[in-house]
Amino acid sequence: MWSVIVVLATSALYFYQRKMPMTIASDQVKVGVSLTPLSSPFFVAEQLGLFKQFGLNVALLPCSSGVSCADSMLNSNVDYATASESVVMFKSFKRDDILLLASFVESDNDLKLLSLGPSKIQSVAQLKDKRVGIVKGSASEFYFDSVLIGSDLRELTVEKVYLSDKELVPALYQFN
């Protein structure tokens, strides 16, 4: 988000130095924003009126995940989308028209591999012959593959069950 604010502040400084009036852009820019805590800078900027203050006509359109935001952009429903680098990577395997413009937030602690208590799984190796719910082409798929590689378990027999972000938690309860 700080990169967005820096761009906005630079634009404001330009207009101020040139004594040019800042007016709201007539064309609305639609941004698909994933409803995760990592996207909060966009909502904070909207609540503080920063977009309008810097002459931008921005509409934030909520998405349930970075994958759905990216899909919304690729289907021309929004102009820009928030998504993890993993989503961009997976989408770039199928398309060559995706561009990562800015990275506004990072976290090294936002992905988790969950199991319910009664399952007795306490290590990655115990996932042998288990089913693991994953959002295809997302940070969760990249993370899970990285966990297997990092645990030297590339050949572990695990069934990836591809689900939407909304299906993951209910499936965890259903298949326990």
Side-chain angles (χ1 to χ4, degrees):
M1 179 58 187
W2 292 115
S3 59
V4 172
I5 291 174
V6 168
V7 170
L8 294 174
T10 304
S11 300
L13 182 60
Y14 171 80
F15 285 112
Y16 176 77
Q17 288 176 340
R18 301 245 184 241
K19 305 282 191 243
M20 297 171 72
M22 287 179 41
T23 58
I24 297 290
S26 60
D27 293 339
Q28 186 178 62
V29 176
K30 295 183 219 165
V31 182
V33 183
S34 179
L35 293 176
T36 69
L38 296 175
S39 296
S40 60
F42 279 91
F43 298 111
V44 169
E46 181 181 50
Q47 286 299 309
L48 294 176
L50 294 178
F51 298 126
K52 288 182 182 178
Q53 182 180 341
F54 290 102
L56 299 171
N57 185 4
V58 176
L60 301 181
L61 302 171
C63 307
S64 59
S65 68
V67 172
S68 63
C69 285
D71 288 342
S72 187
M73 182 187 71
L74 295 173
N75 293 328
S76 300
N77 296 323
V78 296
D79 304 303
Y80 300 96
T82 63
S84 69
E85 287 88 350
S86 314
V87 172
V88 175
M89 175 192 69
F90 281 115
K91 296 292 184 190
S92 73
F93 293 156
K94 298 178 181 174
R95 301 178 64 126
D96 63 358
D97 60 346
I98 298 173
L99 176 65
L100 179 61
L101 292 176
S103 187
F104 63 91
V105 69
E106 64 182 53
S107 173
D108 63 352
N109 195 20
D110 68 320
L111 291 172
K112 309 286 186 255
L113 185 56
L114 300 177
S115 170
L116 293 178
S119 73
K120 307 273 193 251
I121 293 174
Q122 296 180 1
S123 73
V124 177
Q126 290 176 312
L127 292 174
K128 182 178 181 348
D129 298 324
K130 302 286 187 211
R131 298 165 29 116
V132 177
I134 293 173
V135 177
K136 186 169 185 62
S138 72
S140 68
E141 183 169 22
F142 181 76
Y143 171 74
F144 183 69
D145 290 344
S146 298
V147 165
L148 291 178
I149 292 167
S151 301
D152 198 24
L153 296 170
R154 265 185 224 128
E155 305 302 320
L156 189 71
T157 54
V158 176
E159 181 184 351
K160 289 183 183 178
V161 179
Y162 291 114
L163 302 167
S164 75
D165 57 303
K166 294 176 183 175
E167 296 172 313
L168 285 175
V169 173
L172 183 61
Y173 286 116
Q174 179 182 356
F175 294 108
N176 185 34

